[in-house]
Amino acid sequence: MDNEGKNSGANVVPSEAEVAERVENLMGRMSLAEKIGQLTQIAGTPLFPGPEPEDVIRKGGAGSVLWLNDTKKFNALQKIAVEESPSKIPLLFALDVIHGYRTVFPVPLAMASSWDPSVAERAQAVAAKEARAAGLHWTFSPMLDIARDARWGRIVEGAGEDPCLGAAMAAAQVRGFQGESLGAPDRVLACAKHFAGYGAADGGRDYDPVYLPEGRLRNVYFPPFEAAVKAGVGTFMSAYMDLNDVPASGNRFLLRDVLRDEWGFQGFVVSDALAIGNLVIQGFARDGRDAAFRSLSAGVNMDMASDTYPQHLAGLVEDGTLQMSDIDAAVRPILAIKVRMGLFERPYTDESRLAQVVARPEHRQEARLAAQRSMVLLRNEGRLLPLHKDLKNVAVIGPLADSMEATEGSWMVFGHTPAAITVVEGIRARLPGARVEYAPGPEIRREIGSFFDDMPWAVKKDPQTAEQAEAAFQTAVATARSADLVVLVLGENADMAGEFASCTSLDLSGRQEELLEVVLALGKPVVLVLLNGRPLSIGWAAENVPAILEAWEPGSEGGHAVADILFGDVNPGGKLPVSFPRSGGHAPLYYARNLTHSPEGGRMYRSRYWDCPTTPLYPFGFGLSYTTFAITNLQVAALQIKVGSSVAVTADVTNTGPVLGDEVVQLYIHQKAGSDSRPLRELKGFERLTLKPGETKTVTFNLGPAELGYWSTNLGKWVQDAEAFDIWVGADSLATLHADLEVIR
Ligand code: BGC
């Protein structure tokens, strides 16, 4: 039996009653200070001056440690907790493991482009296995914020604009991280974040206030979170920003009324980092004491690193502002999770395991598969792709073509050293006998740096001078000129999307667009590969560059996966989880918007702008293949159904082209009238299928009260109207295959 087998032997799932009994036993022994310790998460790598973590832990002053990634140190700190602290309660070690620990998977926006929840589930299971082997117990993932504004940098961390796709990806990731039960070996506790509404920040500016009516919250922003609760997620993270003028980390409506009372969430809530203390800066709490009181009362169990709970909760209990029962209620779910995870029985990590676990070839294989399934073919004029494998002379051009950082993308774990296969490397590996020349062209960089630039591991590099940039530009053009075919790899550096990474323009930054245009003018066949964390407004390329592959930030095996697709070993089947705007001024943009009294294409409006079409550059759900598909024979099992009942919707999909390929069949509805105005289309089901040439499969969807009902603003409650519906099934959100359905009383 290997090490893994030995560890996994101890997976005993305790009963509810047993957990409750053990928690009460512990609580009976704990002082108020220790209880507050359990509500406190401290930085393992202190960002600000303060006591040493060891000293805090020894006194029972911490329930969890974050921002540390060091197996030996985890064991050393755990030893202090379980041997020296008063009640000997083990610590939870937590970190942001967003899309891989050592083996890096595509960023979450890319994984959502697979429209295949099993891709995300398997990826997060590998991430969990590696993270757990490192000694981590808890990841701050999945990020479930619906994002409809591509200016917002954190769009890269989520599943895009749609609640139906977002909910499927949410549940899959929770299953991947947590496995069958919280005590599962090789798994980690997941955290649904950032609850809620964060993606709708005013102007796409990170952390800015959010104004979302309750209907929009419930119909669009909540479903991925509710899906995470149903999938058994152990923890939630409260967001930073003001939601309708109440900060999410002090928001009782979110954290108690909805999360606990309506959805029955039994786990615990951690604040976002420093969020409780920041309620003062935010202009909500009067001082730290007020902030501690309001967060705890609103339902935040654990204070992430702001030191506000440990400073103020005891005083609040002593003067009677809070009751001991308030503290107990906050502590219980934290202890319950520690019991369920088996931390009391297995507090330590075998330090010899990590090296073997992260070296497993099957992890790289999963990463390559996930990257292949995540890429979206946006254009392929004249069937330039797939490329011939007998190409002799290729130029690979662009600032991202050999960038491991851009290939892995944003949100690496603390202290990670980039180690991806880049696009140049992937192409070279595929064309061993050919000449593959590489030239980066001018560098791209953020105009305003971020907080992460000050981190100890940040690599500092002086900016290129204008002369150096010009020389790099000319070298790139000369390299392209001497090749038979050019692959341009453009997009964003890893630090251009993510937290602290909003922007106003969605154009290719720096001199990338210029380089693209000059290279294209050479008259060579050109393939554009995009590495980026958000939709970019590539309008010129969309009309002029024959082949465009949206590869996103594809992870450790990204370069191989790009080559797999470019050379036709893999047929691309990903679809966009976000609409592509035509410019930054087009954001926010999403397909599920309401009609107006004067819709585009009607009597009066051609576009709602006079300088740009209203339509997206590429619609939600869009993606091409090397084969073709026909979706036909749409059948709704009944023309009329009663409120509360369900109906099956079927359609046939046939591979009408020459090669094996995947199609994502999508079901959309529109309710024609009702208690409220409803979006002109809403995704209600999807399935990704693989079909041989000539093969036909039938897809079946179900439409019932969950799909046909909604939260009505007009009535202030959940409703299902007896009304007429349009139904479409197709290959993207512009699907034309139509049927009618009537819902009656
Ligand atoms: C981010 C969270 C993250 C936390 C801990 C915050 O700044 O908003 O997404 O989980 O830091 O690193």
Side-chain angles (χ1 to χ4, degrees):
M1 195 189 268
D2 65 9
N3 260 333
E4 192 184 331
K6 272 185 230 150
N7 283 343
S8 61
N11 180 26
V12 184
V13 181
S15 69
E16 289 288 318
E18 199 184 323
V19 173
E21 193 191 319
R22 288 179 62 183
V23 167
E24 291 318 310
N25 273 341
L26 285 164
M27 300 273 291
R29 292 193 251 133
M30 290 163 74
S31 65
L32 174 60
E34 278 178 276
K35 289 177 182 171
I36 294 169
Q38 290 304 306
L39 306 181
T40 302
Q41 186 174 53
I42 61 167
T45 310
L47 297 187
F48 310 103
E52 289 302 317
E54 287 81 352
D55 297 335
V56 179
I57 294 165
R58 193 167 286 115
K59 292 190 189 126
S64 174
V65 173
L66 87 162
W67 298 327
L68 181 69
N69 187 14
D70 177 340
T71 314
K72 261 195 169 34
K73 184 103 188 257
F74 287 145
N75 280 338
L77 296 179
Q78 192 71 299
K79 192 162 191 299
I80 298 175
V82 301
E83 291 184 9
E84 299 178 42
S85 78
S87 291
K88 311 195 173 356
I89 299 171
L91 296 160
L92 270 172
F93 295 111
L95 202 66
D96 295 277
V97 182
I98 307 295
H99 54 113
Y101 178 81
R102 187 75 56 77
T103 307
V104 180
F105 286 82
V107 286
L109 187 64
M111 285 203 272
S113 302
S114 71
W115 290 59
D116 178 356
S118 76
V119 163
E121 182 171 344
R122 292 204 307 270
Q124 301 303 29
V126 170
K129 195 172 277 194
E130 295 188 357
R132 193 66 193 250
L136 289 162
H137 305 123
W138 180 19
T139 178
F140 301 127
S141 180
M143 191 277 217
L144 304 180
D145 298 309
I146 295 293
R148 298 176 155 195
D149 189 331
R151 296 170 300 179
W152 189 53
R154 302 197 79 169
I155 193 170
V156 63
E157 294 174 57
E161 73 180 54
D162 186 74
C164 173
L165 180 60
M169 289 293 159
Q173 292 187 79
V174 171
R175 291 193 300 268
F177 283 127
Q178 293 190 171
E180 291 291 306
S181 69
L182 287 185
D186 287 335
R187 303 289 178 138
V188 292
L189 182 61
C191 182
K193 74 183 188 186
H194 310 82
F195 197 51
Y198 187 18
D202 269 359
R205 292 177 296 269
D206 209 1
Y207 313 136
D208 261 25
V210 167
Y211 293 94
L212 285 172
E214 189 169 349
R216 182 55 72 96
L217 276 171
R218 290 185 179 275
N219 294 322
V220 178
Y221 286 78
F222 284 173
F225 289 100
E226 192 177 4
V229 173
K230 287 193 175 135
V233 73
T235 71
F236 258 60
M237 185 186 292
S238 59
Y240 284 122
M241 76 304 142
D242 281 3
L243 173 67
N244 303 327
D245 294 336
V246 181
S249 291
N251 197 309
R252 175 181 276 273
F253 163 71
L254 287 175
L255 302 175
R256 288 202 190 273
D257 301 351
V258 175
L259 181 59
R260 294 208 184 266
D261 298 347
E262 287 182 32
W263 298 347
F265 174 67
Q266 302 284 333
F268 71 85
V269 177
V270 63
S271 73
D272 202 338
L274 317 179
I276 298 181
N278 289 355
L279 291 178
V280 181
I281 303 177
Q282 213 154 326
F284 178 70
R286 205 176 306 124
D287 49 28
R289 186 186 138 88
D290 192 31
F293 171 71
R294 294 173 82 175
S295 268
L296 192 97
S297 319
V300 179
N301 303 70
M302 188 181 276
D303 173 354
M304 187 189 286
S306 88
D307 205 28
T308 311
Y309 278 3
Q311 281 195 33
H312 299 287
L313 286 183
L316 286 160
V317 174
E318 275 148 24
D319 69 13
T321 311
L322 283 173
Q323 304 307 307
M324 191 60 132
S325 56
D326 298 321
I327 304 292
D328 289 350
V331 174
R332 272 192 197 99
I334 298 173
L335 293 180
I337 280 189
K338 292 183 176 184
V339 170
R340 284 209 173 87
M341 289 185 76
L343 291 190
F344 290 87
E345 292 75 23
R346 300 179 301 268
Y348 300 112
T349 299
D350 174 353
E351 288 168 24
S352 67
R353 251 186 106 227
L354 179 63
Q356 312 157 22
V357 172
V358 297
R360 289 189 183 155
E362 66 267 27
H363 292 190
R364 297 294 286 217
Q365 204 42 48
E366 282 291 355
R368 186 160 173 171
L369 186 85
Q372 292 165 346
R373 288 181 78 76
S374 297
M375 292 182 190
V376 185
L377 183 64
L378 294 177
R379 197 164 197 252
N380 194 17
E381 288 302 292
R383 295 188 179 272
L384 175 57
L385 297 177
L387 301 173
H388 291 291
K389 288 176 190 151
D390 54 8
L391 275 169
K392 288 281 168 281
N393 187 5
V394 176
V396 185
I397 307 289
L400 309 174
D402 200 29
S403 164
M404 289 200 279
E405 290 83 354
T407 309
E408 289 186 342
S410 72
W411 257 136
M412 291 301 100
V413 294
F414 213 73
H416 173 81
T417 309
I421 303 293
T422 65
V423 175
V424 181
E425 288 169 343
I427 292 176
R428 285 199 171 127
R430 192 52 52 97
L431 296 176
R435 179 165 173 257
V436 179
E437 293 290 310
Y438 155 66
E443 69 171 11
I444 52 173
R445 66 162 64 215
R446 289 172 59 127
E447 282 144 46
I448 302 174
S450 103
F451 165 82
F452 294 121
D453 298 341
D454 304 327
M455 290 290 176
W457 59 83
V459 183
K460 302 208 170 41
K461 219 177 117 204
D462 289 334
Q464 262 177 349
T465 62
E467 294 72 37
Q468 286 166 333
E470 180 57 24
F473 191 97
Q474 294 310 334
T475 306
V477 175
T479 308
R481 187 178 288 118
S482 66
D484 299 333
L485 177 132
V486 185
V487 178
L488 270 153
V489 188
L490 306 178
E492 297 182 302
N493 283 334
D495 68 356
M496 289 176 171
E499 194 173 359
F500 313 102
S502 293
C503 56
T504 59
S505 166
L506 301 175
D507 298 346
L508 289 165
S509 61
R511 294 181 67 185
Q512 294 185 100
E513 182 83 30
E514 186 191 350
L515 183 63
L516 178 64
E517 294 183 17
V518 170
V519 168
L520 203 83
L522 299 174
K524 316 266 174 186
V526 171
V527 178
L528 172 60
V529 174
L530 293 168
L531 297 189
N532 50 312
R534 57 156 61 77
L536 294 175
S537 49
I538 45 155
W540 188 87
E543 286 198 355
N544 296 286
V545 180
I548 308 175
L549 179 68
E550 176 54 87
W552 303 113
E553 294 172 343
S556 299
E557 289 287 309
H560 283 322
V562 166
D564 292 337
I565 288 180
L566 295 187
F567 291 94
D569 296 304
V570 169
N571 187 354
K575 301 275 186 168
L576 296 178
V578 278
S579 307
F580 265 45
R582 293 174 189 270
S583 73
H586 218 178
L589 181 74
Y590 48 94
Y591 80 93
R593 62 191 204 284
N594 286 10
L595 284 159
T596 68
H597 82 103
S598 180
E600 294 85 342
R603 265 183 308 157
M604 287 162 71
Y605 263 113
R606 293 195 192 118
S607 166
R608 311 196 78 74
Y609 302 111
W610 58 254
D611 61 347
C612 173
T614 317
T615 53
L617 185 58
Y618 293 108
F620 173 80
F622 173 80
L624 300 171
S625 165
Y626 296 152
T627 189
T628 48
F629 296 94
I631 300 175
T632 55
N633 196 22
L634 171 58
Q635 307 268 357
V636 182
L639 285 175
Q640 285 189 335
I641 57 165
K642 287 210 155 136
V643 166
S645 62
S646 298
V647 66
V649 178
T650 56
D652 294 339
V653 52
T654 306
N655 182 343
T656 51
V659 287
L660 181 86
D662 283 14
E663 181 58 293
V664 180
V665 184
Q666 304 162 36
L667 167 73
Y668 293 89
I669 66 164
H670 168 232
Q671 181 178 322
K672 293 186 187 178
S675 306
D676 294 8
S677 302
R678 300 299 300 144
L680 60 88
R681 284 191 182 205
E682 290 176 280
L683 181 74
K684 292 295 174 181
F686 62 89
E687 192 175 341
R688 181 168 174 162
L689 301 153
T690 303
L691 294 153
K692 296 190 205 86
E695 191 182 6
T696 298
K697 286 183 182 166
T698 301
V699 192
T700 304
F701 299 107
N702 183 60
L703 285 177
E707 289 76 26
L708 300 170
Y710 63 97
W711 175 271
S712 161
T713 297
N714 208 4
L715 303 179
K717 60 175 187 183
W718 290 102
V719 296
Q720 188 187 354
D721 294 324
E723 292 291 350
F725 285 81
D726 292 306
I727 314 280
W728 294 273
V729 172
D732 60 43
S733 55
L734 303 180
T736 51
L737 187 63
H738 177 265
D740 290 301
L741 173 69
E742 204 175 346
V743 178
I744 54 169
R745 291 252 164 247

